[in-house]
Amino acid sequence: MSSEKTSKIKSVIWVVLMDKKKQKITAGRECDQVSAGELRDAVCRKLRITPDGAEAFSIWICSPLLQLQLKPSHYPTALCDLWYDLLAQFAPATELQAKNDLPIIMLMRNVFYPLSQEKLLVQRDPQARYYLTAEAMFNYLTGRYPVEDELAYKLAALQLKMEGKKLNNFPPGSLQNIANQILPWDVVKRKKKQPLYLDKRIRAYLTDLSSTTPGTLDHIYISHLWTQSCYRCAFFQGQTELQKHRKDVVVRVGITPHNVFIWNKVTNKTIAEIDNKDVSTQLIKSDPQKEGTGNKIPFDVWLINFTVVASIKKRTNTAIPIYSKQACMMKTMFERMRDESHLHADNSTTSVQPPPIVQQRNLNEVDAMMRTFDFSNPTLKIGSKEVPVGTRHISKKENLRGLKLNSKGNKLKKTVIKQTVASKFDV
């Protein structure tokens, strides 16, 4: 009997959803024999998401240090057992941070799902729309989808309305007390000295929504975020060198089928937004034979070359180096996104046919784990638990030396790039 009970316990997989709830899946066999494709389909059935809607989602393995989208052929629980090795490969974390990092299995948006299909899907599948909106709200509130302040106030009012809140729930001047729950941290910081202004603008938009029916609110909410060019970004983390900064600037890199974004991770300000058509990239691998002794975090370089048109007759070639353990993932994601950009045009409604699944269960498949979120501001809330995000900053002395921006931020002075340690696996 004990062996049967153990077998039943092992066959249960918990999947965390973007609305902070969990879904229990009983596999009927050992967990490490359940593929990500099978697990996704089982979760979507329990959530009453249609088979077409299920294509918009994927199984992810997430933690505060690293988040990976899995192929249907991957085995989530088997990869969780290898999590420490994956952190050593892709996460800029100290050994202590890696040991304290715990992965969870999540259902999240498939980064390769075309936006044109998503716009059609949300009209016919309310359950898929609900979870896509929940993820979009999470990315927006944690600062990964930077928006203009006015749109932020409108989205805050929509969120309150979706939660069933009314104006009479909030006495005049009280909305600023919950600003951190309904606005991104950078918007709240900018208006720190004008709390009553936040209250006034959100209250005005909430009044305008008084006649809106609840069933349309999530559609309106996600429609606003569709207008943002950074929507559906694949996120990575790294750092770069900027003039007038004594230390390297920690950055968040976002890649879509049409753009590459680089944000200052501390201030959430945009450093660069580049059209993919004007970009060529290069991966510079670090050299393990040239690495000296010392406890350094190895970095590769993803070098982004692009063209700036200053006037009709003047074109300036520019480059930005991103130092990161995720450099190989950025390059792979950029190339695939650019190759599939025609599928992401708004006038495209053609279904994407995935390539044949090849069953493999080893770390050589990490080329498929291209997208990472960097839960960055400054904790990730899973249920009632706040998990701090720890990222060790590498000083300029420790780091590679590369290219520097000038004072205008659009030209670079070229220096020698010193290569250090290569990744354990070639991706």
Side-chain angles (χ1 to χ4, degrees):
M1 286 292 293
S2 60
S3 61
E4 291 180 5
K5 289 182 179 179
T6 303
S7 178
K8 288 182 179 179
I9 292 173
K10 287 184 177 179
S11 67
V12 172
I13 303 176
W14 288 95
V15 179
V16 179
L17 309 176
M18 288 307 297
D19 62 350
K20 302 180 183 178
K21 297 178 182 178
K22 292 193 294 185
Q23 194 69 46
K24 179 180 177 181
I25 300 297
T26 304
R29 59 185 187 274
E30 295 295 325
C31 289
D32 60 4
Q33 297 176 8
V34 180
S35 70
E38 293 171 324
L39 186 59
R40 181 204 68 174
D41 292 343
V43 174
C44 288
R45 282 195 298 269
K46 293 196 74 171
L47 298 176
R48 301 190 306 279
I49 295 174
T50 63
D52 287 344
E55 295 180 6
F57 299 92
S58 288
I59 293 296
W60 291 69
I61 304 180
C62 300
S63 80
L65 295 179
L66 183 65
Q67 293 75 44
L68 301 172
Q69 176 176 321
L70 306 189
K71 280 183 176 180
S73 57
H74 284 137
Y75 292 82
T77 58
L79 286 171
C80 285
D81 293 337
L82 299 172
W83 193 246
Y84 187 78
D85 294 329
L86 292 172
L87 290 179
Q89 174 73 6
F90 294 119
T94 63
E95 185 176 353
L96 179 61
Q97 290 168 344
K99 285 182 177 179
N100 294 328
D101 195 55
L102 295 176
I104 59 174
I105 298 173
M106 299 188 71
L107 182 77
M108 296 168 59
R109 188 186 189 277
N110 175 7
V111 69
F112 301 111
Y113 192 71
L115 179 59
S116 57
Q117 291 194 47
E118 180 178 329
K119 291 180 178 181
L120 298 175
L121 173 65
V122 299
Q123 298 180 44
R124 62 177 185 266
D125 192 332
Q127 284 295 97
R129 181 174 71 234
Y130 170 79
Y131 288 103
L132 289 169
T133 303
E135 182 171 343
M137 182 183 293
F138 175 84
N139 287 331
Y140 155 70
L141 289 176
T142 51
R144 282 183 287 279
Y145 290 161
V147 303
E148 296 292 332
D149 286 1
E150 264 326 286
L151 179 54
Y153 307 143
K154 185 180 296 185
L155 292 173
L158 275 167
Q159 181 182 338
L160 291 174
K161 184 75 173 179
M162 290 163 67
E163 294 172 354
K165 304 293 176 57
K166 300 179 180 179
L167 271 178
N168 54 17
N169 297 131
F170 304 101
S174 64
L175 283 174
Q176 65 263 28
N177 298 331
I178 59 169
N180 289 325
Q181 302 172 32
I182 58 177
L183 289 171
W185 60 273
D186 55 320
V187 176
V188 176
K189 184 178 179 180
R190 283 196 295 273
K191 298 298 181 181
K192 187 176 180 179
K193 296 181 180 180
Q194 299 175 286
L196 292 178
Y197 182 79
L198 293 177
D199 183 276
K200 178 182 177 181
R201 298 306 301 143
I202 297 173
R203 192 176 296 276
Y205 283 117
L206 195 55
T207 303
D208 293 340
L209 292 170
S210 58
S211 60
T212 308
T213 57
T216 62
L217 292 172
D218 55 352
H219 198 168
I220 295 173
Y221 191 100
I222 198 169
S223 296
H224 282 304
L225 289 176
W226 285 338
T227 65
Q228 305 302 299
S229 56
C230 58
Y231 179 75
R232 78 206 186 278
C233 263
F235 291 103
F236 304 88
Q237 51 188 325
Q239 54 195 61
T240 191
E241 294 181 350
L242 297 180
Q243 277 195 351
K244 298 184 180 180
H245 287 77
R246 297 180 64 183
K247 294 183 178 181
D248 303 326
V249 176
V250 181
V251 296
R252 182 189 304 111
V253 179
I255 301 174
T256 74
H258 308 294
N259 303 88
V260 175
F261 300 86
I262 303 173
W263 295 283
N264 186 319
K265 195 173 173 182
V266 177
T267 64
N268 213 33
K269 291 183 178 179
T270 302
I271 295 175
E273 179 179 347
I274 313 160
D275 192 310
N276 285 0
K277 292 183 294 185
D278 302 324
V279 173
S280 64
T281 69
Q282 180 183 2
L283 179 64
I284 303 174
K285 301 286 288 185
S286 52
D287 187 351
Q289 296 181 352
K290 295 181 180 181
E291 174 66 8
T293 59
N295 185 24
K296 297 180 181 179
I297 298 178
F299 278 87
D300 296 331
V301 182
W302 187 45
L303 190 62
I304 308 171
N305 301 290
F306 59 98
T307 302
V308 176
V309 181
S311 63
I312 296 177
K313 296 182 179 180
K314 187 176 180 181
R315 300 173 67 88
T316 305
N317 293 325
T318 312
I320 298 177
I322 305 296
Y323 311 122
S324 175
K325 294 180 76 173
Q326 300 172 358
C328 58
M329 301 167 76
M330 296 182 204
K331 180 173 174 60
T332 305
M333 173 61 74
F334 171 79
E335 290 175 348
R336 176 166 176 180
M337 284 286 199
R338 186 172 59 178
D339 291 344
E340 297 183 359
S341 61
H342 65 285
L343 298 173
H344 297 262
D346 282 347
N347 59 358
S348 172
T349 56
T350 305
S351 177
V352 180
Q353 293 295 328
I357 295 174
V358 179
Q359 294 287 344
Q360 294 181 2
R361 294 179 59 186
N362 56 63
L363 284 179
N364 290 331
E365 272 196 311
V366 293
D367 64 311
M369 305 173 196
M370 305 162 192
R371 180 189 180 190
T372 62
F373 279 144
D374 51 299
F375 294 99
S376 55
N377 302 310
T379 60
L380 168 65
K381 187 171 183 180
I382 301 175
S384 59
K385 184 178 180 182
E386 290 282 344
V387 183
V389 176
T391 303
R392 177 173 175 243
H393 179 78
I394 308 303
S395 68
K396 191 172 292 186
K397 292 182 179 179
E398 287 184 271
N399 203 356
L400 311 170
R401 295 195 177 275
L403 306 175
K404 296 182 179 180
L405 293 173
N406 70 356
S407 57
K408 295 183 179 179
N410 59 1
K411 292 184 181 179
L412 295 165
K413 180 181 178 182
K414 201 167 187 177
T415 60
V416 178
I417 295 179
K418 180 182 176 183
Q419 298 183 346
T420 57
V421 174
S423 300
K424 195 187 327 181
F425 303 100
D426 291 330
V427 179

